[in-house]
């Protein structure tokens, strides 16, 4: 019996390990409920080795005994210090790989001695060699090094077939690359690659930290930058807020006793809207689009030659990234394979093929339709009340929940009609109306009173639509039972009114 070959995504920010078992691709949990291992190592007070989340937690307060982003150093003849001792980049990477190997061994109950490891397409021979060495130090024979965009394409391969060209847009924590790949039957070839290995989700976090610092300065006249513990907490809160803003129109950074000023405790509580956040990160997103055109011309291709865009890397969950890519390239990027996990999945698929198995397919439940609502917006040069606002796009993995903010139009407006549609047409009236309801009893407020509308679709095709007045929490919902197979639309909608989240069904 041949032993399992694992697939490893050894990332700058995060790493994952995956296997193929019984024809299925599995990303192995690194801790209960987590499949992502932060690529951080450290030495604790007592000298014990920390890898992953614990090391990441320690990093902000004890950078002198923690190491992160070691991938940027791979292939250099250098050493990094951790608690006063020198380590080569290979040795640090090996600590991550060894942890992943142990996690895989515990999961499958047998020793693991072989791996396929992914590297960025631009990695030089020296960087690839260093990655192999890291594997060896960790007790892994690296049976193949494959390019990350190739792995991502393999994870997507099942969904499509035939020759085509894809753009793999990979925005991670601290690195960005975009590659043009050619897919032909069993061969994936990287035609060109371009990027910036100092651009990623961490920069987005920094913008949110800056936003909070400005707020603290303005409202409390304090400068938190001198306080490492406060900065570490802000960093955490900023990343959490950023992730919330991928699905919600608002996020709150709230940290009690963040710091003290003249003996008085200062509590941070500040809200950031998605619109404010998008303005902060827009220049970074624009930079990635420029890089994309450089990669395209490097491959001697035009946008029209590209058949699909594959999204890779956690930061591609940012709605602005998806929106700007769609505007720029005129097609909806594909994101149905989890962008954090798809490189590891592709590595596992490659590993299975090397081991002699049939290439397995990645199965994901996606919605076959787009669902949305309508709003008053500019449409073909005029204000039009039925502009379609999609909330859940076709091919999004389910279950999914997405929210958007809408505002009242008139002063003193006490009710809003919410229409629910299925379809793609920018004119909502050309789509299928699958439900509608009215939220009544809004507070007496000037025009611009925000309401948050949430669409939640589960794996059984049950769509719940809720609209909530942001300031009061007043809300109203409907449930559409068979949203992905609607025949007689609104008859299937069950309505209920909720005052503050407790459902009192009306019909
Ligand atoms: P890498 O490949 O560089 O190791 P990842 O692909 O794991 O990195 O991406 C990590 C980045 O993705 C981090 O900056 C993290 O905050 C960001 N990220 C993760 N989930 C989301 C999300 N839902 N919305 C926006 N950013 C996210
Ligand atoms: Mg990555």
């Amino acid at each position: 019996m041949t032993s399992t070959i694992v697939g490893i995504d050894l990332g700058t920010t995060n790493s994952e390990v995956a296997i193929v078992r019984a024809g299925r691709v599995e990303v192995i949990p690194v801790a209960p409920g987590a499949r992502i291992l932060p690529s951080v190592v450290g030495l604790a007070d007592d000298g014990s080795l920390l890898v992953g989340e614990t090391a990441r937690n320690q990093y902000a307060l004890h950078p002198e005994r923690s190491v992160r982003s070691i991938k940027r150093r791979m292939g250099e003849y250098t050493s990094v210090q951790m608690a006063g001792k020198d380590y080569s980049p290979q040795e640090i990477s090996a600590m991550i790989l060894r942890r992943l190997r142990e996690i895989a061994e515990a999961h499958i109950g047998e020793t693991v001695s072989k791996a396929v490891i992914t590297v960025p397409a631009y990695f030089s021979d020296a960087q690839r060699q260093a990655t192999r060495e890291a594997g060896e130090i960790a007790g892994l024979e690296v049976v193949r090094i494959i390019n990350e965009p190739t792995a991502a394409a393999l994870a997507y391969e099942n969904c499509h077939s035939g020759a085509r060209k894809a753009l793999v847009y990979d925005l991670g924590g601290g690195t960005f690359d975009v590659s043009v790949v050619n897919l032909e039957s069993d061969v994936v070839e990287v035609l060109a690659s371009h990027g910036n290995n100092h651009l990623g989700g961490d920069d987005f976090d920094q913008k949110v930290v800056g936003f909070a610092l400005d707020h603290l300065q303005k409202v409390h006249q304090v400068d938190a930058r001198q306080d490492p513990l406060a900065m570490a907490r802000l960093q955490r809160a900023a990343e959490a807020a950023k992730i919330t803003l991928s699905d919600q129109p608002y996020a709150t950074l709230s940290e009690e006793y963040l710091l003290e000023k003249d003996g008085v405790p200062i509590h941070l509580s500040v809200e950031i809207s998605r619109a404010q956040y998008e303005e902060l990160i827009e220049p970074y997103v624009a930079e990635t689009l420029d890089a994309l055109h450089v990669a395209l011309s490097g491959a001697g291709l035009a946008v029209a030659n590209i058949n699909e865009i594959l999204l890779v890397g956690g930061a591609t969950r940012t709605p602005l990234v998806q929106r700007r890519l769609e505007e720029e390239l005129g097609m909806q990027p594909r994101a149905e394979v989890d962008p954090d996990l798809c490189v590891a999945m592709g590595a596992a698929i490659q590993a299975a093929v090397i081991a002699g198995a049939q290439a397995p397919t990645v199965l994901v439940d996606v919605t076959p339709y787009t669902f949305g609502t309508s709003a008053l917006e500019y449409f073909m040069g005029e204000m039009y009340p039925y502009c379609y606002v999609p909330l859940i796009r076709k091919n999004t993995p389910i279950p999914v929940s997405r929210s958007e903010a809408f505002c009242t139009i008139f002063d003193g407006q006490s009710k809003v009609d919410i229409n629910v549609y299925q379809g793609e047409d920018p004119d909502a009236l050309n789509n299928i109306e699958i439900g509608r309801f009215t939220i009544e009893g809004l507070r007496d407020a000037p025009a611009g009173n925000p309401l948050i509308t949430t669409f939640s679709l589960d794996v059984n095709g049950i769509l719940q639509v809720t609209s909530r007045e942001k300031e009061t929490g007043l809300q109203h919902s409907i449930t559409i039972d068979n949203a992905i197979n609607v025949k007689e639309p609104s008859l299937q909608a069950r309505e209920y009114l909720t005052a503050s989240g407790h459902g009192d069904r009306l019909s």
Side-chain angles (χ1 to χ4, degrees):
M1 179 191 149
T2 53
S3 62
T4 310
I5 307 175
V6 296
I8 293 178
D9 172 2
L10 182 61
T12 309
T13 310
N14 295 306
S15 298
E16 296 84 17
V17 57
I19 54 166
V20 170
R21 207 159 45 164
R24 292 199 37 211
V25 185
E26 281 177 57
V27 182
I28 301 175
V30 297
R35 291 187 288 181
I36 294 175
L37 184 78
S39 304
V40 187
V41 304
L43 290 174
D45 287 336
D46 62 1
S48 60
L49 179 68
L50 306 174
V51 181
E53 197 57 39
T54 47
R56 180 175 137 102
N57 290 337
Q58 170 182 284
Y59 185 87
L61 293 176
H62 297 290
E64 75 290 352
R65 43 187 168 88
S66 318
V67 178
R68 51 176 288 183
S69 304
I70 194 63
K71 188 172 178 177
R72 292 206 179 108
R73 302 252 89 93
M74 292 293 275
E76 291 176 17
Y77 289 98
T78 179
S79 61
V80 292
Q81 281 218 331
M82 185 163 66
K85 206 171 162 272
D86 284 335
Y87 297 87
S88 68
Q90 291 91 315
E91 287 175 303
I92 300 288
S93 287
M95 294 171 187
I96 300 166
L97 291 173
R98 189 175 301 113
R99 178 57 56 87
L100 292 173
R101 176 168 69 83
E102 289 163 358
I103 288 166
E105 287 177 339
H107 184 78
I108 57 183
E110 60 181 59
T111 44
V112 169
S113 57
K114 293 180 182 179
V116 169
I117 302 180
T118 57
V119 296
Y122 62 78
F123 252 31
S124 65
D125 284 344
Q127 291 170 303
R128 286 165 201 259
Q129 185 52 33
T131 305
R132 275 184 194 281
E133 285 167 23
E136 276 155 26
I137 299 169
L140 287 168
E141 178 197 341
V142 182
V143 294
R144 195 163 307 170
I145 296 271
I146 65 169
N147 292 318
E148 288 161 9
T150 301
L154 286 175
Y156 270 96
E157 181 64 5
N158 68 302
C159 316
H160 252 278
S161 41
R164 64 198 193 281
K165 292 189 172 57
L167 260 179
V168 180
Y169 177 102
D170 183 347
L171 190 60
T175 58
F176 165 68
D177 1 6
V178 57
S179 306
V180 184
V181 301
N182 187 42
L183 300 122
E184 223 154 322
S185 47
D186 288 340
V187 189
V188 184
E189 185 193 359
V190 179
L191 303 177
S193 196
H194 190 71
N196 177 347
N197 70 353
H198 285 276
L199 171 66
D202 296 347
D203 297 299
F204 297 5
D205 298 348
Q206 280 324 110
K207 288 289 184 187
V208 179
V209 168
F211 177 89
L213 288 173
D214 288 350
H215 172 85
L216 287 167
Q217 186 66 58
K218 207 161 73 199
V219 177
H220 302 283
Q221 290 81 45
V222 284
D223 181 1
R225 279 171 302 186
Q226 310 311 325
D227 183 336
L229 181 57
M231 286 305 286
R233 288 178 61 192
L234 272 183
Q235 204 77 46
R236 277 305 171 100
E239 186 183 11
K242 169 190 81 173
I243 289 173
T244 299
L245 290 171
S246 287
D247 303 316
Q248 307 280 332
Y250 300 94
T252 304
L253 289 107
S254 155
E255 294 289 319
E256 294 213 345
Y257 299 99
L258 181 64
L259 71 172
E260 279 192 0
K261 188 194 175 197
D262 309 328
V264 181
I266 307 251
H267 310 297
L268 169 72
S269 178
V270 61
E271 184 181 77
I272 178 166
S273 70
R274 187 188 283 160
Q276 287 170 311
Y277 169 66
E278 291 185 341
E279 204 179 303
L280 295 173
I281 62 166
E282 166 66 38
Y284 294 129
V285 178
E287 192 185 326
T288 69
L289 297 178
D290 293 342
L292 185 153
H293 290 290
V294 175
L296 268 180
S297 51
L301 295 174
V303 172
N305 303 118
I306 296 298
N307 304 99
E308 58 189 21
I309 314 159
L310 309 182
L311 296 186
V312 180
T316 60
R317 289 222 179 77
T318 311
L320 181 70
V321 167
Q322 301 195 8
R323 212 165 64 230
R324 299 285 282 111
L325 273 171
E326 182 164 357
E327 287 164 8
E328 190 77 13
L329 301 171
M331 67 185 111
Q332 188 189 336
R334 296 183 65 188
E336 59 273 27
V337 181
D338 190 321
D340 296 299
L341 309 180
C342 73
V343 170
M345 289 177 166
I349 291 170
Q350 179 69 71
V353 171
I354 291 171
Q358 175 113 27
T361 54
V362 176
L363 297 175
V364 267
D365 266 333
V366 296
T367 163
Y369 302 114
T370 296
F371 298 97
T373 185
S374 54
L376 177 71
E377 278 175 19
Y378 267 103
F379 186 58
M380 300 170 75
E382 271 175 60
M383 289 306 275
Y384 178 63
Y386 295 102
C387 287
Y388 188 44
V389 183
L391 270 91
I392 297 178
R393 302 290 303 269
K394 179 166 92 177
N395 292 327
T396 302
I398 44 180
V400 61
S401 181
R402 294 276 156 79
S403 303
E404 286 281 349
F406 297 89
C407 287
T408 54
I409 305 163
F410 310 111
D411 291 344
Q413 186 175 338
S414 66
K415 59 178 194 171
V416 172
D417 293 322
I418 311 287
N419 299 322
V420 183
Y421 302 95
Q422 173 217 297
E424 303 286 333
D425 201 288
D427 180 349
L429 298 183
N430 291 334
N431 293 321
I432 303 172
E433 184 181 316
I434 57 170
R436 68 161 76 186
F437 62 94
T438 304
I439 173 164
E440 284 174 287
L442 303 178
R443 72 197 172 110
D444 187 8
N449 180 21
L451 278 91
I452 297 172
T453 297
T454 302
F455 277 48
S456 302
L457 182 64
D458 75 6
V459 286
N460 301 311
I462 299 170
L463 177 68
Q464 166 140 3
V465 179
T466 301
S467 189
R468 178 169 60 87
E469 185 177 39
K470 180 165 178 275
E471 302 306 323
T472 63
L474 172 84
Q475 64 178 49
H476 194 124
S477 305
I478 59 168
T479 300
I480 298 159
D481 274 333
N482 204 1
I484 47 186
N485 191 14
V486 177
K487 298 212 177 59
E488 272 188 84
S490 34
L491 296 179
Q492 299 183 341
R494 300 192 309 261
E495 279 195 53
Y496 54 94
L497 182 68
T498 45
S500 57
H502 303 287
D504 234 359
R505 223 163 261 175
L506 290 186
S507 58

